[in-house]
């Protein structure tokens, strides 16, 4: 098949490029490199079945020839990024989704939207299953991201119902692994780099909040299965092993064999306003419909992530 991956030079997008190429498909990675990096796909340069297109998906998308699958990953999913680029975040979720759906319609391609656990907002239901409608503040700092993805889901379902585009929606929960951006501000790169430098780990809000972290290889396997499965409606993909941020910080220090300590800090208001108190996926649908569940433990995934950032720091 010929597969278009928007955000193909990003953290998750680049791993999808690798896996689809390894499965024998042709891959077009589209990215405007605002937060994606050419380093993530540099190893694919010259690959006979790989094409990189530098394009901003909020503008009309032209792709010559056949396209069988469209995966819309382009996004600014880090809280630091969507606080810095709120309008671009809304545009890539709204206009970018519209353009990619239009392309899928024109090409007769199957379409997958990368949505997010943020559609559940600061959830009042725990763990979150796909039937929960969420608790989102539309005008808060996270609203630009959350609402753009909620709009993107609505638009995807509209194209499915009214234009008969064959669509899939994956709701991605916190994912980590090699190729995360060192400066994207999220807890995994922050803590890993702080631990490797021997600096104190910046734990917000006494580390009471919880998250559940999925290793990128597990996520990519789930996305690829979902794309080929006969499934209607959104599917959560994540690792249901929930952990408090303070426990997570201690695990990072242990895995990195670091002498770092914890610093309980109060970040600026905007950074943590509406920060969900707890988050954990209910993955019953993924288990039953895709026969999928995460295989990589947090300890093993963190070891690979630590090795990646250690290597990056040596070569930087
Ligand atoms: N966090 C933290 N220290 C950091 C970065 C994040 O304690 O240096 C916390 C943050 O407040 C949140 C959790 O870690 O409760 C996960 O944050 P992240 O930015 O990774 O993504 P989110 O899950 O909020 O989208």
């Amino acid at each position: 098949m010929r597969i278009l991956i928007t955000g193909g030079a990003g953290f998750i997008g680049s791993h999808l490029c690798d896996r689809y190429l390894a499965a024998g498909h042709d891959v077009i990675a589209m990215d405007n490199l605002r937060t994606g990096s050419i380093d993530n796909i540099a190893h694919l340069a010259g690959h006979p079945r790989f094409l990189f297109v530098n394009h901003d998906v909020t503008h009309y998308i032209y792709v010559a020839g056949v396209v069988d699958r469209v995966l819309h990953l382009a996004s600014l999913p880090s809280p630091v990024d969507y606080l810095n680029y709120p309008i671009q975040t809304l545009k890539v979720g709204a206009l970018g989704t519209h353009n990619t759906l239009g392309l899928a319609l024109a090409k007769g391609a199957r379409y997958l939207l990368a949505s997010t656990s943020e559609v559940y907002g600061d959830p009042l239901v725990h763990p979150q299953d796909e039937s929960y409608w969420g608790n989102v503040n539309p005008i808060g700092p996270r609203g630009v991201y959350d609402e753009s993805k909620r709009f993107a889901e609505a638009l995807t379902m509209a194209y499915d119902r009214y234009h008969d585009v064959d669509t899939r929606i994956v709701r991605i929960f916190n994912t980590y692994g090699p190729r995360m951006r060192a400066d994207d501000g999220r807890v995994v790169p922050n803590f890993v780099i702080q631990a490797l430098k021997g600096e104190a780990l910046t734990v917000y809000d006494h580390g009471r909040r919880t998250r559940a972290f999925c290793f990128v290889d597990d996520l990519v396997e789930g996305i690829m299965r979902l794309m080929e499965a006969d499934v209607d409606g959104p599917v959560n993909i994540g690792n249901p092993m929930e952990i408090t941020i303070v426990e997570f910080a201690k695990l990072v220090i242990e895995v990195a064999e670091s002498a770092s300590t914890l610093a309980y800090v109060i970040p600026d208001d905007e950074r943590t306003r509406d920060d969900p108190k707890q988050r954990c996926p209910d993955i019953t649908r993924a288990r039953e419909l895709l026969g999928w569940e995460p295989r990589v433990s947090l300890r093993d995934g963190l070891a690979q992530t630590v090795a990646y950032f250690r290597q990056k720091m040596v070569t930087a």
Side-chain angles (χ1 to χ4, degrees):
M1 291 188 291
R2 195 151 180 258
I3 300 186
L4 173 70
I5 302 173
T6 75
F11 160 48
I12 297 170
S14 65
H15 284 280
L16 277 165
C17 291
D18 287 343
R19 286 285 304 274
Y20 274 112
L21 285 169
H25 302 293
D26 289 13
V27 172
I28 308 164
M30 187 171 281
D31 205 300
N32 68 349
L33 303 178
R34 181 185 280 269
T35 56
S37 167
I38 211 76
D39 291 349
N40 291 338
I41 50 170
H43 61 288
L44 300 176
H47 190 296
R49 286 183 282 106
F50 180 72
L51 179 67
F52 172 66
V53 180
N54 187 334
H55 181 71
D56 178 344
V57 294
T58 65
H59 300 292
Y60 183 85
I61 301 169
Y62 173 77
V63 177
V66 174
V67 177
D68 302 289
R69 299 281 184 268
V70 175
L71 292 91
H72 181 35
L73 274 285
S75 181
L76 297 157
S78 154
V80 169
D81 289 336
Y82 54 73
L83 291 172
N84 286 339
Y85 304 109
I87 297 167
Q88 195 60 28
T89 300
L90 282 158
K91 284 173 72 178
V92 71
L95 307 180
T97 303
H98 191 211
N99 289 332
T100 50
L101 279 164
L103 180 82
L105 174 63
K107 300 285 186 184
R110 188 178 290 181
Y111 183 88
L112 179 137
L113 172 70
S115 185
T116 168
S117 55
E118 280 284 324
V119 300
Y120 302 122
D122 192 359
L124 305 176
V125 163
H126 195 74
Q128 296 79 54
D129 69 43
E130 294 86 346
S131 66
Y132 178 49
W133 291 354
N135 177 40
V136 172
N137 173 6
I139 57 168
R142 286 179 176 252
V144 294
Y145 182 61
D146 302 6
E147 296 296 0
S148 79
K149 289 292 190 182
R150 290 168 67 95
F151 174 86
E153 289 198 8
L155 193 61
T156 301
M157 291 310 294
Y159 267 69
D160 194 300
R161 290 180 183 127
Y162 296 99
H163 285 311
D164 261 339
V165 175
D166 191 12
T167 69
R168 307 286 184 274
I169 296 173
V170 57
R171 290 187 178 151
I172 300 173
F173 282 66
N174 289 68
T175 299
Y176 71 100
R179 301 188 196 155
M180 287 191 99
R181 239 173 57 228
D183 64 349
D184 93 349
R186 279 185 287 188
V187 70
V188 176
N190 274 13
F191 282 3
V192 169
I193 289 167
Q194 288 161 347
L196 288 174
K197 287 185 174 167
E199 296 170 356
L201 273 57
T202 52
V203 176
Y204 304 158
D205 188 38
H206 305 287
R208 282 178 295 214
R209 292 169 198 271
T210 72
R211 293 293 187 271
F213 297 97
C214 183
F215 190 61
V216 65
D217 291 359
D218 281 331
L219 173 81
V220 164
E221 176 66 27
I223 288 177
M224 291 174 75
R225 285 191 192 203
L226 174 60
M227 186 53 126
E228 299 314 314
D230 186 13
V231 173
D232 286 325
V235 177
N236 290 338
I237 298 283
N239 189 324
M241 214 281 288
E242 187 178 0
I243 185 171
T244 62
I245 296 300
V246 69
E247 287 306 320
F248 180 66
K250 289 176 189 164
L251 182 63
V252 170
I253 289 173
E254 196 186 315
V255 172
E257 296 173 343
S258 164
S260 289
T261 53
L262 304 186
Y264 294 97
V265 298
I266 302 173
D268 73 85
D269 235 21
E270 287 296 281
R271 175 67 182 78
T272 49
R273 191 143 58 92
D274 301 336
D275 186 359
K277 285 180 268 312
Q278 52 182 7
R279 183 188 289 150
C280 181
D282 179 322
I283 57 166
T284 308
R285 257 170 78 76
R287 278 200 176 106
E288 286 176 358
L289 299 172
L290 311 177
W292 174 88
E293 63 184 346
R295 304 237 165 267
V296 183
S297 71
L298 186 53
R299 189 175 284 275
D300 289 352
L302 266 180
Q304 292 190 50
T305 310
V306 165
Y308 169 78
F309 281 114
R310 189 175 270 137
Q311 176 67 27
K312 273 235 138 186
M313 284 164 62
V314 170
T315 53

